[in-house]
C-alpha cells in the first residue's frame, strides 16, 4: 500500500505554544488529506478535510483559527495547533487519498502532550 | 444514536477460536464500508473493504447487509497476533467522509 509519514511522532510542549505537525504522502500525489484526532478509548474523529490548493473544510465544533491547516502541495499537509492547551493533548492522525474512489492511507500519528 | 455502533467488548478468546464482530450504521446513504485494525497507540490499518456480495481474505470474512444496515467480520482460527481493536468504518457523501465506530477489542489468549 501507499506510504504516508507524519512528523513529529510525539511532542511535549508548554501550554500556550503552537505545534506544527506535518503529513506527507511519500509515493503518491494526494489530492485530499484528512486530519483526525483520537482521545483515549474513543473513536477517530475527523477534524478537517484538506484539498490541495484550497481552504480546508472543518467539521462542526472544530475551530479553524485554532487548528490551522495548510495543504500547499500534493504531497504535504500541515496542521498547526495554535496556543495549545492541556485539553488539546491527543493522538493526531492524518490520512491521504489519491482521489475519491481510492482508499485513505494513514500516517503513523503524532502524540501531543500539552503541559 | 451513534452513526456507527459496535460492541466495544472486550472479546477474550483462545487461540484457534472463531470470533464474530458486528456493526450497525445509521446513514442509509452510506456508500463504502471497511474494517480497520488498530493496535494499541498506533494508527489504524485497513483490514478489508466490505461488499454486499461478501468477501473473504484468508481467515477473515466480511459481510454487508444494506437492508439491515449491518456489517460483520468473522475471524477463523484466531492467532495471538489478531489481538487488536477492530474498527467498523463507513464512508458517506460524495467526498466519502469516513465515520468510525468506537471499535471492538479482541484479546486472543494462548
Amino acid at each position: 500500500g501507499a506510504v504516508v509519514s507524519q512528523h513529529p511522532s510525539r511532542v511535549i510542549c508548554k501550554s500556550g505554544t503552537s505545534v506544527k505537525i506535518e503529513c506527507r504522502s511519500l509515493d503518491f500525489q494526494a489530492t485530499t488529506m484528512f486530519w483526525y484526532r483520537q482521545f483515549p478509548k474513543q473513536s477517530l474523529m475527523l477534524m478537517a478535510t484538506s484539498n490541495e490548493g484550497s481552504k480546508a473544510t472543518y467539521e462542526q465544533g472544530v475551530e479553524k483559527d485554532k487548528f490551522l491547516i495548510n495543504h500547499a502541495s500534493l504531497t504535504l499537509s500541515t496542521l498547526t495547533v495554535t496556543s495549545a492547551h492541556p485539553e488539546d493533548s491527543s493522538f493526531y492522525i492524518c490520512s491521504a487519498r489519491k482521489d475519491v474512489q481510492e482508499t485513505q492511507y494513514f500516517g503513523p500519528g503524532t502524540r501531543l502532550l500539552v503541559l | 444514536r451513534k452513526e456507527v455502533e459496535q460492541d466495544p467488548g472486550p472479546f477474550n478468546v483462545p487461540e484457534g477460536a472463531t470470533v464474530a464482530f458486528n456493526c450497525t450504521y445509521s446513514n442509509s446513504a452510506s456508500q463504502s464500508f471497511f474494517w480497520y485494525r488498530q493496535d494499541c497507540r498506533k494508527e489504524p490499518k485497513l483490514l478489508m473493504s466490505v461488499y454486499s456480495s461478501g468477501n473473504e481474505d484468508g481467515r477473515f470474512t466480511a459481510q454487508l447487509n444494506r437492508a439491515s444496515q449491518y456489517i460483520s467480520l468473522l475471524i477463523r482460527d484466531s492467532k495471538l497476533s489478531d489481538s487488536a481493536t477492530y474498527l467498523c468504518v463507513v464512508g458517506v457523501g460524495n467526498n466519502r467522509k469516513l465515520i468510525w465506530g468506537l471499535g471492538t477489542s479482541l484479546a486472543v489468549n494462548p
Side-chain angles (χ1 to χ4, degrees):
Chain A
V3 179
V4 176
S5 71
Q6 264 184 258
H7 177 80
S9 58
R10 61 177 63 208
V11 58
I12 301 173
C13 69
K14 290 182 181 177
S15 190
T17 59
S18 293
V19 175
K20 181 187 277 190
I21 303 169
E22 289 188 352
C23 177
R24 292 181 187 272
S25 55
L26 298 184
D27 54 357
F28 68 100
Q29 293 189 320
T31 53
T32 306
M33 287 184 168
F34 302 85
W35 286 97
Y36 294 86
R37 182 166 53 179
Q38 186 177 32
F39 291 107
K41 299 193 187 302
Q42 294 190 23
S43 59
L44 271 75
M45 295 298 293
L46 180 65
M47 298 175 68
T49 301
S50 164
N51 291 299
E52 185 263 340
S54 60
K55 287 185 180 177
T57 302
Y58 289 80
E59 294 299 303
Q60 196 171 13
V62 178
E63 298 173 57
K64 64 180 184 194
D65 295 328
K66 180 167 178 65
F67 299 99
L68 302 178
I69 291 172
N70 186 307
H71 191 163
S73 77
L74 284 170
T75 59
L76 172 65
S77 176
T78 60
L79 167 69
T80 302
V81 183
T82 62
S83 186
H85 288 99
E87 58 265 30
D88 298 324
S89 300
S90 188
F91 189 41
Y92 291 85
I93 311 173
C94 75
S95 71
R97 184 179 73 187
K98 258 191 265 191
D99 61 52
V100 71
Q101 299 296 334
E102 296 278 333
T103 302
Q104 288 185 31
Y105 294 96
F106 285 82
T110 297
R111 206 159 289 279
L112 170 64
L113 176 62
V114 184
L115 302 175
Chain B
R1 185 188 170 189
K2 290 181 184 160
E3 291 185 81
V4 178
E5 292 212 58
Q6 294 180 251
D7 179 350
F11 282 60
N12 284 286
V13 303
E15 266 187 292
T18 295
V19 61
F21 302 139
N22 303 317
C23 166
T24 57
Y25 60 94
S26 61
N27 189 335
S28 58
S30 300
Q31 296 162 306
S32 50
F33 309 88
F34 310 92
W35 283 102
Y36 276 77
R37 169 197 169 128
Q38 187 173 26
D39 292 284
C40 188
R41 302 176 73 80
K42 299 279 190 185
E43 79 277 19
K45 292 190 189 296
L46 179 65
L47 184 63
M48 57 200 307
S49 301
V50 190
Y51 307 108
S52 297
S53 54
N55 47 306
E56 187 174 314
D57 182 2
R59 298 182 292 109
F60 299 85
T61 301
Q63 296 275 355
L64 166 65
N65 184 322
R66 281 187 183 267
S68 303
Q69 296 181 198
Y70 171 93
I71 307 164
S72 66
L73 176 69
L74 185 76
I75 304 176
R76 289 180 298 278
D77 189 22
S78 302
K79 312 290 184 194
L80 295 176
S81 56
D82 293 334
S83 299
T85 297
Y86 289 82
L87 300 157
C88 178
V89 186
V90 171
V92 301
N94 294 332
N95 203 25
R96 297 283 200 276
K97 173 181 164 181
L98 295 184
I99 310 297
W100 296 74
L102 198 58
T104 299
S105 175
L106 171 66
V108 181
N109 306 305

